[in-house]
């Protein structure tokens, strides 16, 4: 039987996981970046000091890269506080996490470790192992040269020990790049030539070429037109609109859309003007459904009757730093639930029936949305909202109270609240009803796991069960290291 201390530990862990999934320390609709940063930093310190094992294990629970990097930095900084067994497990979790993170985020983490003077043996070993494992050394040395150089210096890494011809020239490229008359590594040589030969600029990766284009006073229109063959899928989609403004024109490629992850694709769609969404309805809807089907996999159509209550009120516009993020998650969840359930009914708060043209508008009338969602008595109701129920305030909680007490006393319908916004003032993701399980969500791709995880958020499972669940996730994640 769980003690009071066990229940507190379970609640603290769930609170931190929800925060680490949703918060990026940036401004949200209802709170500024200063309060966001203070709140998440406090939670990191509290968890590391009081529950180090659980704190490290959250690296396997889908926390976002911002918080994953913060956890890694904190563990490396405080290695003396850990036992040998803890350090061994933390090391494996750190290696697996760094392997899945975007390289620019890892270089940013290494730079932060350097600036903070974290230079213990374990930190250097982690940095050396990650750098030695990179497959495209020349590309990363060119694209992330400053971060790469700082990491090599901080880790005391002898880069001439790297294999292949790239490694042989890497040290000179990083520390004295213009002292070489000619490089044997093609990309290093292209970078060197691009400093005096404008045509070589267009043979470089886009992010590197952009700075050198300014040096050569190449116009934006010419630059975008000639760099187009070098663009990645994400760069191509991101630059389409700015290219049109310059008259360059970057062709849209349906194959690019078809390969995008679901939540990222939803962000791309919502960034388009509504008339363009309507004009490209078939293409965009097909891409969203295809992305949702990939996430659903063999679970497609296996869920029973599901209703969603999706918040498209004005607060779903997010902030300047996280533009439309709550609405992006809601749109992605809509298409994923459509794929998972054979009987799915969506309910947008605006009562809009066309998901593709959704825009942030109006008040947060969660109570009315729940009335609509519960009407058909589905097995599951998924609410995606920031939790600010204000039209009228408290109506959603009252609707659910009456539903549970009088209309569904046996609990045939499960209601789950997924919140994409961290409430910095409350140090948690905001809930509109204490009896409804609430979990933080960053990407719609995590929805199936979060729905299953909701029983912990509802307080229906104790610390032992929560630990077993986390340990299972950790073992699955660590199995990736051995695969």
């Amino acid at each position: 039987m769980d003690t009071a201390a066990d229940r507190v530990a379970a609640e603290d862990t769930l609170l931190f996981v929800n925060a680490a999934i949703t918060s990026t320390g940036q401004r949200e609709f209802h709170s500024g970046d200063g309060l966001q940063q203070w709140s998440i930093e406090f939670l990191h310190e509290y968890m590391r000091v009081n529950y180090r094992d659980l704190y490290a294990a959250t690296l396997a629970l889908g926390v976002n890269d911002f918080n994953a990097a913060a956890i890694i930095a904190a563990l490396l900084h405080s290695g003396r506080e850990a036992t040998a067994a803890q350090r061994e497990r933390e090391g494996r979790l750190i290696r697996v996490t760094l392997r899945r993170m975007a390289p620019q985020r890892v270089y940013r983490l290494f730079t932060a470790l350097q600036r903070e003077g974290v230079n213990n043996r374990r930190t250097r070993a982690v940095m050396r192992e990650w750098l030695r494992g990179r497959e495209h050394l020349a590309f990363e040395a060119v694209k992330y040269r400053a971060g790469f150089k700082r990491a090599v210096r901080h880790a005391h890494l002898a880069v001439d020990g790297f294999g292949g011809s790239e490694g042989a020239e890497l040290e000179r490229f990083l520390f004295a790049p213009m002292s070489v008359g000619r490089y044997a590594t093609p990309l290093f040589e292209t970078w060197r030539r691009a400093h005096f030969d404008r045509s070589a600029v267009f043979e470089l990766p886009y992010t590197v070429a952009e700075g050198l284009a300014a040096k050569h006073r190449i116009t934006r229109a010419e630059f975008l037109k000639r760099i187009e063959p070098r663009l990645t899928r994400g760069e191509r989609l991101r630059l389409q609109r700015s290219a049109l403004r310059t008259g360059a024109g970057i062709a849209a490629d349906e194959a690019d859309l078809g390969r995008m992850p679901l939540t990222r694709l939803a962000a791309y769609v919502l960034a388009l003007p509504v008339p363009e969404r309507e004009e490209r309805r078939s293409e965009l809807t097909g891409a969203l459904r295809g992305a949702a089907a990939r996430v659903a996999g063999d679970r497609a159509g296996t869920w029973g009757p599901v209703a969603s209550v999706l918040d498209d009120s004005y607060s779903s516009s997010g902030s300047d730093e996280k533009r439309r993020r709550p609405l992006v998650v809601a749109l992605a969840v809509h298409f994923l639930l459509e794929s998972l359930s054979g009987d799915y009914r969506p309910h947008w708060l605006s009562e809009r029936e066309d998901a593709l043209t959704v825009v942030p508008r109006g008040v947060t009338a969660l109570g009315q949305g729940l009335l609509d969602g519960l009407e058909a008595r589905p097995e599951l109701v998924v609410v995606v909202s920031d939790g600010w129920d204000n039209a009228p305030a408290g109506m959603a909680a009252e609707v659910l109270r009456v539903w549970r007490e009088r209309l569904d006393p046996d609990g045939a319908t499960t209601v789950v609240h997924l919140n994409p916004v961290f409430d910095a003032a409350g140090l948690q993701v905001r809930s509109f009803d204490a009896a409804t399980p609430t979990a933080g969500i960053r990407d719609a791709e995590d929805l199936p796991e979060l729905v299953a995880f909701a029983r912990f958020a509802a307080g229906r499972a104790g610390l032992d069960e929560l630990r077993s669940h986390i340990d299972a996730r950790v073992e699955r994640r660590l199995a990736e290291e051995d695969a």
Side-chain angles (χ1 to χ4, degrees):
M1 183 174 181
D2 284 347
T3 65
D6 290 336
R7 288 193 293 274
V8 170
E11 291 170 1
D12 288 346
T13 302
L14 289 167
L15 184 148
F16 176 72
V17 170
N18 284 333
I21 287 172
T22 55
S23 176
T24 56
Q26 297 171 304
R27 183 179 181 274
E28 297 280 8
F29 186 87
H30 291 285
S31 60
D33 55 359
L35 183 57
Q36 285 278 331
Q37 291 168 9
W38 179 89
S39 298
I40 196 63
E41 287 172 6
F42 168 80
L43 290 175
H44 274 274
E45 183 71 5
Y46 178 82
M47 282 295 296
R48 182 188 64 77
V49 171
N50 291 284
Y51 313 107
R52 187 180 182 100
D53 285 342
L54 289 170
Y55 180 62
T58 57
L59 287 172
L61 295 181
V63 301
N64 62 46
D65 284 354
F66 170 82
N67 285 292
I71 292 169
I72 292 171
L75 294 175
L76 292 175
H77 191 276
S78 60
R80 291 183 179 180
E81 302 171 9
T83 65
Q86 285 175 326
R87 285 195 295 271
E88 193 276 333
R89 193 186 201 206
E90 290 170 9
R92 295 181 67 195
L93 280 167
I94 288 170
R95 286 194 294 271
V96 171
T97 303
L98 290 177
R99 199 175 297 159
R100 68 167 178 79
M101 287 175 66
Q104 66 269 24
R105 295 183 183 276
V106 179
Y107 286 116
R108 199 175 300 150
L109 166 63
F110 290 170
T111 297
L113 291 170
Q114 182 205 34
R115 288 174 178 167
E116 293 166 12
V118 182
N119 196 28
N120 52 61
R121 185 172 62 180
R122 185 164 70 143
T123 299
R124 294 195 300 271
V126 165
M127 296 173 75
R128 282 197 299 269
E129 182 176 348
W130 186 83
L131 287 167
R132 286 184 183 278
R134 306 310 294 161
E135 294 183 6
H136 306 290
L137 279 176
F139 178 83
E140 291 195 10
V142 169
K143 188 169 184 177
Y144 310 112
R145 181 171 170 270
F148 199 124
K149 182 169 68 172
R150 282 192 290 265
V152 165
R153 180 178 288 151
H154 192 61
H156 302 172
L157 183 60
V159 293
D160 57 359
F162 282 58
S165 59
E166 293 178 356
E169 295 187 318
L170 185 57
E171 185 170 3
R172 280 179 295 169
F173 176 78
L174 291 175
F175 297 102
M178 302 307 287
S179 65
V180 177
R182 185 177 182 84
Y183 286 103
T185 303
L187 192 54
F188 291 168
E189 176 61 17
T190 300
W191 180 89
R192 186 191 67 83
R193 286 194 301 109
H195 284 75
F196 56 83
D197 180 359
R198 76 192 307 269
S199 64
V201 170
F202 305 104
E203 301 173 35
L204 291 169
Y206 164 75
T207 51
V208 179
E210 195 169 29
L212 289 169
K215 172 184 172 67
H216 288 289
R217 298 183 180 179
I218 299 171
T219 66
R220 188 66 175 170
E222 181 188 358
F223 175 67
L224 291 177
K225 182 178 180 180
R226 296 184 62 183
I227 201 67
E228 182 179 358
R230 308 287 300 178
L231 296 177
T232 65
R233 180 173 68 250
E235 289 166 349
R236 180 183 299 275
L237 291 169
R238 189 167 61 249
L239 290 169
Q240 279 176 13
R241 301 203 63 78
S242 62
L244 285 174
R245 286 195 293 270
T246 66
I250 293 177
D253 187 343
E254 288 192 34
D256 289 341
L257 293 181
R259 291 189 294 265
M260 286 185 76
L262 176 58
T263 305
R264 193 175 301 172
L265 178 58
Y268 168 78
V269 169
L270 290 180
L272 300 174
V274 171
E276 184 172 347
R277 292 185 231 167
E278 292 175 333
E279 182 181 343
R280 299 171 59 187
R281 178 178 299 277
S282 176
E283 172 197 359
L284 297 176
T285 302
L288 285 162
R289 286 179 172 154
R294 290 195 299 275
V295 176
D298 56 10
R299 296 169 297 193
T302 61
W303 288 22
V306 175
S308 66
V309 178
L310 305 170
D311 186 352
D312 58 345
S313 65
Y314 182 65
S315 63
S316 69
S317 59
S319 64
D320 290 342
E321 292 85 358
K322 303 175 77 173
R323 191 177 298 276
R324 292 179 293 269
R325 185 68 192 186
L327 189 60
V328 164
V329 174
L331 181 65
V333 164
H334 163 75
F335 280 96
L336 181 53
L337 289 176
E338 181 186 66
S339 182
L340 289 167
S341 173
D343 181 7
Y344 169 62
R345 302 185 184 190
H347 301 278
W348 294 92
L349 296 191
S350 64
E351 300 185 353
R352 179 183 297 273
E353 296 183 359
D354 182 9
L356 193 67
T357 58
V358 68
V359 292
R361 184 176 298 161
V363 296
T364 312
L366 283 178
Q368 183 59 53
L370 282 165
L371 285 173
D372 295 338
L374 292 166
E375 185 176 6
R377 293 179 173 269
E379 292 179 7
L380 173 67
V381 176
V382 177
V383 181
V384 181
S385 170
D386 61 12
W388 290 83
D389 178 31
N390 57 22
M395 181 178 171
E398 186 63 15
V399 166
L400 290 175
R401 183 189 67 79
V402 173
W403 173 262
R404 295 187 186 104
E405 291 180 1
R406 300 185 182 180
L407 301 175
D408 187 25
D410 297 328
T413 296
T414 299
V415 180
V416 176
H417 174 205
L418 302 180
N419 192 333
V421 178
F422 176 60
D423 178 21
L427 293 174
Q428 60 187 334
V429 290
R430 185 183 181 90
S431 176
F432 59 82
D433 174 39
T436 298
T438 301
I441 183 170
R442 172 68 178 171
D443 296 312
E445 288 85 338
D446 298 324
L447 180 144
E449 177 64 31
L450 290 172
V451 169
F453 195 65
R455 70 184 188 280
F456 298 112
R460 296 170 188 165
L463 180 61
D464 287 343
E465 190 176 353
L466 177 60
R467 278 188 178 276
S468 296
H469 176 85
I470 292 175
D471 286 343
R473 289 287 298 273
V474 169
E475 290 307 313
R476 288 201 300 272
R477 180 59 62 85
L478 292 180
E480 299 173 10
E481 182 184 11
D482 303 322

